[in-house]
């Protein structure tokens, strides 16, 4: 099926077709290994557009949309390895925004963790103190809002993806976050009074489509077709304010620019693929529960180019010997260039237990790894190229 789309004054066509029968993608801790990376995110405005759902769908956004070398990203998403003692064995992204009301909020780093049962967001960390003047709101320049550095641990982890995840998988997450501040508003008799912002979330996801998708790449190129799952997500957020541990009076909440227990609802389609924590594309329908109003459309650029433009390998045969291993294991594979690559080893729980650089040049590579300190069990060795793409995987067993 073809649908005409108006984008920046030009008629385009997005092909949403049904492909020949295949099997839906299954994501688990082996296929969805998450890792530090950086992607640029580009945004597009669509007219009324309803995404085709179901089995074996092909979304050819790479052919329908273009990104020139002068187009600027809407934002940049980066995942870093956590060194925060409050969130060990995690990745984090910088500068997630937390609203206090319509006019004020603060930035904090969000922390995510992968286990054998899923990929989760577990909390946020604010490492600096912010001070906001409230004079524009209250008319008194002495009024202020101070948000100290703090750890915001979720009441229960938010499930981004459960494992295994495939067509028809559904999951819900209900969790609460609590952010603390101090507020001074002389008109209400408040002088450095503790202000608590309690946010409750109810999020429901259902995988409603599977197939393949391309997305545009800077330089007016298309990505290769990626196997994907598409999740339909509905989110309900409730914000409540407390002063000195008690619910804030309605008059204060109204003056502060909100309402007690205010609800915000959002509706989106998210696409997930293997070996990548960032989405491939997102349709954001804002508050439209019918998923039909004009959406915002976002794509990430951490993708491979189609049609052989990128001559780096997508997969390379590798082997691990001896297997099982006791003290050392050697990873063997062919390397097609002299660029620095990297090796990561993961347990069956998705925990990264070892990393090292591969500086060997073109040709046969024999990479030794000491496993004497590993627990007995099964492991996955993942080789990444200079662009952080997974080019090889091999499994082995450690037996002591």
């Amino acid at each position: 099926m073809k649908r005409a789309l108006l984008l920046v004054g030009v008629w385009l066509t997005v092909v949403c077709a049904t492909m020949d029968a295949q099997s839906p993608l299954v994501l688990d801790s082996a296929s969805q290994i998450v890792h530090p990376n950086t992607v640029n995110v580009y945004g597009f405005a669509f007219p009324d557009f309803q995404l085709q759902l179901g089995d074996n769908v092909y979304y050819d956004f790479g052919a329908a949309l273009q990104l020139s070398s002068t187009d600027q990203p809407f934002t940049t998403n980066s995942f870093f390895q956590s060194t925060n003692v409050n969130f060990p064995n995690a990745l984090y992204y910088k500068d997630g925004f937390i609203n206090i009301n319509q006019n004020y909020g603060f930035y904090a780093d969000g922390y995510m963790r992968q286990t054998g049962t899923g990929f989760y967001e577990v909390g946020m960390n604010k490492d600096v103190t912010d001070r906001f003047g409230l004079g524009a709101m209250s008319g008194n320049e002495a009024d202020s809002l101070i948000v100290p550095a703090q750890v915001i641990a979720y009441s229960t982890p938010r499930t981004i993806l459960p494992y295994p995840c495939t067509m028809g998988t559904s999951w819900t997450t209900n969790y609460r976050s609590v952010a603390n501040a101090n507020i001074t508003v002389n008109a209400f008799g408040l002088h450095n009074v503790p202000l608590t912002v309690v946010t409750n979330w109810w999020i429901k996801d259902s995988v409603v489509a599977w197939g393949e998708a391309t997305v545009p790449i800077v330089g007016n190129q298309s990505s290769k077709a990626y196997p994907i799952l598409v999740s339909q997500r509905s989110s309900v957020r409730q914000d409540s304010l407390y002063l000195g541990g008690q619910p804030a009076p309605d008059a204060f909440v109204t003056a502060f620019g909100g309402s007690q227990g205010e609800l915000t609802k959002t509706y989106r389609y998210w696409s997930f693929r293997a070996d990548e924590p960032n989405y491939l594309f997102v349709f954001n329908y804002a508050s439209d529960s019918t998923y039909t109003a004009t959406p915002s459309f976002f794509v990430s650029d951490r993708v491979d180019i189609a049609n052989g433009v990128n001559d780096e390998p997508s997969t390379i045969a590798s082997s691990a010997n001896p297997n099982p291993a006791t003290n050392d294991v050697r990873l063997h594979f062919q390397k097609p260039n002299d660029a620095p690559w990297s090796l990561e080893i993961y347990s069956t729980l998705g925990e990264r237990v070892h990393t090292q650089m591969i500086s060997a040049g073109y040709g046969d590579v024999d990479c030794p790894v000491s496993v004497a300190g590993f627990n007995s069990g099964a492991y996955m060795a993942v080789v990444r190229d200079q662009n952080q793409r997974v080019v090889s995987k091999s499994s082995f067993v450690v037996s002591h």
Side-chain angles (χ1 to χ4, degrees):
M1 169 171 21
K2 294 186 177 181
R3 302 178 186 273
L5 303 180
L6 183 63
L7 176 67
V8 197
V10 180
W11 284 100
L12 300 171
T13 300
V14 167
V15 178
C16 299
T18 301
M19 304 183 297
D20 294 335
Q22 299 181 21
S23 298
L25 177 66
V26 178
L27 295 176
D28 54 26
S29 59
S31 63
Q32 183 68 15
I33 295 173
V34 299
H35 49 85
N37 69 19
T38 297
V39 302
N40 291 319
V41 177
Y42 293 85
F44 298 86
F46 273 68
D48 292 352
F49 176 73
Q50 191 167 2
L51 193 67
Q52 181 181 342
L53 307 176
D55 298 324
N56 241 11
V57 180
Y58 183 72
Y59 306 109
D60 199 3
F61 299 116
L65 305 170
Q66 290 188 333
L67 285 172
S68 73
S69 58
T70 59
D71 287 326
Q72 296 299 309
F74 171 79
T75 187
T76 298
N77 288 343
S78 297
F79 290 92
F80 306 92
Q81 192 67 41
S82 171
T83 57
N84 190 317
V85 296
N86 297 296
F87 300 106
N89 302 318
L91 298 178
Y92 72 96
Y93 60 88
K94 286 183 172 293
D95 296 337
F97 191 74
I98 299 177
N99 290 95
I100 296 177
N101 70 353
Q102 297 176 1
N103 302 308
Y104 300 97
F106 60 88
Y107 291 96
D109 298 337
Y111 285 79
M112 313 171 99
R113 182 177 295 133
Q114 184 185 42
T115 72
T117 61
F119 185 39
Y120 305 94
E121 184 169 13
V122 293
M124 305 191 81
N125 183 78
K126 185 177 185 300
D127 55 9
V128 297
T129 296
D130 292 321
R131 184 187 186 282
F132 304 97
L134 301 181
M137 179 190 74
S138 67
N140 188 332
E141 295 300 323
D143 293 345
S144 65
L145 175 69
I146 299 174
V147 186
Q150 59 192 286
V151 174
I152 303 172
Y154 296 163
S155 59
T156 187
R158 177 175 78 88
T159 303
I160 300 171
L161 272 179
Y163 295 147
C165 185
T166 190
M167 181 65 175
T169 302
S170 296
W171 64 99
T172 59
T173 302
N174 304 327
Y175 70 98
R176 182 181 66 257
S177 65
V178 178
N180 296 300
N182 290 82
I183 191 167
T184 296
V185 181
N186 287 278
F188 283 92
L190 304 175
H191 302 284
N192 202 35
V193 172
L195 172 70
T196 304
V197 182
V198 177
T199 302
N200 288 289
W201 286 92
W202 298 270
I203 303 175
K204 181 177 180 179
D205 281 87
S206 297
V207 179
V208 293
W210 68 273
E212 292 186 340
T214 69
V215 294
I217 296 176
V218 170
N220 297 325
Q221 300 183 80
S222 173
S223 76
K224 71 178 185 180
Y226 283 90
I228 60 164
L229 300 175
V230 177
S231 173
Q232 185 182 67
R233 176 175 298 172
S234 61
S235 303
V236 179
R237 168 182 174 154
Q238 182 186 53
D239 292 304
S240 301
L241 295 179
Y242 292 79
L243 288 172
Q246 299 298 316
D250 289 343
F252 170 81
V253 177
T254 300
F256 202 54
S259 60
Q260 193 69 284
E262 184 172 4
L263 296 177
T264 303
K265 299 180 181 181
T266 55
Y267 302 89
R268 297 180 175 91
Y269 287 120
W270 295 78
S271 65
F272 298 99
R273 53 182 165 138
D275 290 316
E276 179 56 60
N278 282 288
Y279 52 79
L280 185 62
F281 65 80
V282 172
F283 279 91
N284 180 4
Y285 291 87
S287 60
D288 176 29
S289 61
T290 67
Y291 296 85
T292 56
T294 301
S296 299
F297 177 63
F298 301 93
V299 299
S300 69
D301 72 350
R302 193 173 182 276
V303 294
D304 296 330
I305 301 174
N307 304 323
V309 177
N310 185 343
D311 60 4
E312 291 296 323
S314 58
T315 57
I316 292 177
S318 62
S319 61
N321 292 292
N323 190 7
T326 301
N327 295 312
D328 298 282
V329 67
R330 305 186 79 86
L331 281 302
H332 183 79
F333 54 90
Q334 288 277 334
K335 195 163 176 280
N337 60 32
D338 293 324
W341 286 12
S342 62
L343 168 68
E344 302 169 351
I345 297 179
Y346 293 83
S347 71
T348 54
L349 295 179
E351 180 184 1
R352 186 170 60 182
V353 297
H354 177 81
T355 60
Q356 69 183 65
M357 296 303 297
I358 301 172
S359 57
Y362 171 88
D364 286 337
V365 175
D366 195 40
C367 185
V369 179
S370 173
V371 297
F374 289 18
N375 294 327
S376 295
Y379 293 86
M380 176 73 71
V382 176
V383 177
R384 298 186 184 277
D385 68 9
Q386 68 272 20
N387 297 314
Q388 284 295 297
R389 294 172 302 181
V390 174
V391 294
S392 178
K393 294 181 182 178
S394 54
S395 59
F396 63 93
V397 172
V398 173
S399 178
H400 295 305

